[in-house]
Amino acid sequence: MTELRIELLRELLARLADGTIQIPEFQREPVVTDDWVISLIASVSLHYPIGAVMLLRAGSRDARFDARPVTGAQPGSEPEWFLVDGQRRLTVLYDVLTAGRGGRFHLDIDKALDPMTDRDEAIGVGDGSPTGFPLTLTFGSPDDRRRWLDAAGVSRLERDVLAAFDEYAVPVIRLGSDTTRWTVRVHGGPHGRRLSDRFSRRARPGGRRVVPSPPDSDL
């Protein structure tokens, strides 16, 4: 069964953090540039759409494979869902807004609150800014975020900018456990790791090798 749901970004990232959502073995490690990350963060902060993500319910007898949590997530958790499309976007958002990579990205308060300044220009990258808002606090500790905003005296930042992150929603396509390995292979991507013969035999004993398809997906 396939269903489309609208889910808050912060809830999706929380499920990455606790290991409920994990990365399936056929996904390659994402490669991104700082400019690409800045553009993605700017889009979310302005409520611009960043596309849907696709999840596959764990436990399908036709698609059994190993998975790994995102870096920094709780180890040892059993996944309930596999992230089969949208890996690059969600893992980058997780890194920047909740985990380690966020230490390199910050928000220039004056530029972020200036309607005449492009949002991309308000996002800085480097060792941090003494006055810039550390983006890792966006979905990090609520207490740390509140202390930082109170100390800086910038309540407008939360109302005019950070609220967009809090309210941001993502279309999520959920594939049920009845999904076959054919569907999973299509969304492996043309440049991702091919599913091995071992995987094909595990997924469906005696089944034919899956012929790669060339979808256009960032995964």
Side-chain angles (χ1 to χ4, degrees), residues 35-215:
D35 287 343
W36 188 90
V37 173
I38 289 172
S39 178
L40 178 67
I41 298 301
S43 295
V44 173
S45 75
L46 294 168
H47 278 296
Y48 293 167
I50 61 171
V53 302
M54 183 178 291
L55 302 177
L56 170 68
R57 170 71 76 174
S60 169
R61 65 180 183 180
D62 282 338
R64 298 189 300 271
F65 36 74
D66 295 331
R68 65 185 186 278
V70 296
T71 302
Q74 295 181 12
S77 301
E78 286 295 323
E80 296 180 10
W81 296 92
F82 300 121
L83 179 57
V84 296
D85 193 9
Q87 178 200 2
R88 182 167 63 159
R89 284 165 286 152
L90 283 193
T91 54
V92 165
L93 289 169
Y94 173 82
D95 283 345
V96 172
L97 301 179
T98 70
R101 190 191 295 260
R104 297 182 56 240
F105 291 84
H106 58 272
L107 199 62
D108 183 293
I109 298 172
D110 292 335
K111 291 180 179 179
L113 295 176
D114 182 359
M116 302 304 293
T117 300
D118 289 339
R119 185 57 51 82
D120 295 53
E121 297 179 10
I123 301 172
V125 58
D127 294 331
S129 165
T131 58
F133 176 78
L135 282 170
T136 191
L137 294 180
T138 306
F139 293 142
S141 165
D143 291 339
D144 289 346
R145 169 171 151 173
R146 172 50 49 201
R147 279 193 293 268
W148 194 97
L149 292 171
D150 288 346
V154 284
S155 58
R156 277 190 59 204
L157 184 69
E158 185 165 42
R159 182 183 69 245
D160 296 351
V161 180
L162 298 183
F165 291 97
D166 296 336
E167 301 164 1
Y168 195 85
V170 180
V172 178
I173 301 169
R174 290 186 168 195
L175 304 177
S177 57
D178 57 343
T179 301
T180 69
R181 65 189 172 97
W182 296 89
T183 305
V184 175
R185 180 61 190 102
V186 167
H187 290 279
H191 306 298
R193 199 177 100 185
R194 291 177 182 270
L195 300 187
S196 64
D197 289 334
R198 174 189 62 80
F199 172 84
S200 296
R201 287 196 294 270
R202 285 172 60 195
R204 179 172 296 176
R208 294 179 299 168
R209 183 181 179 86
V210 182
V211 178
S213 299

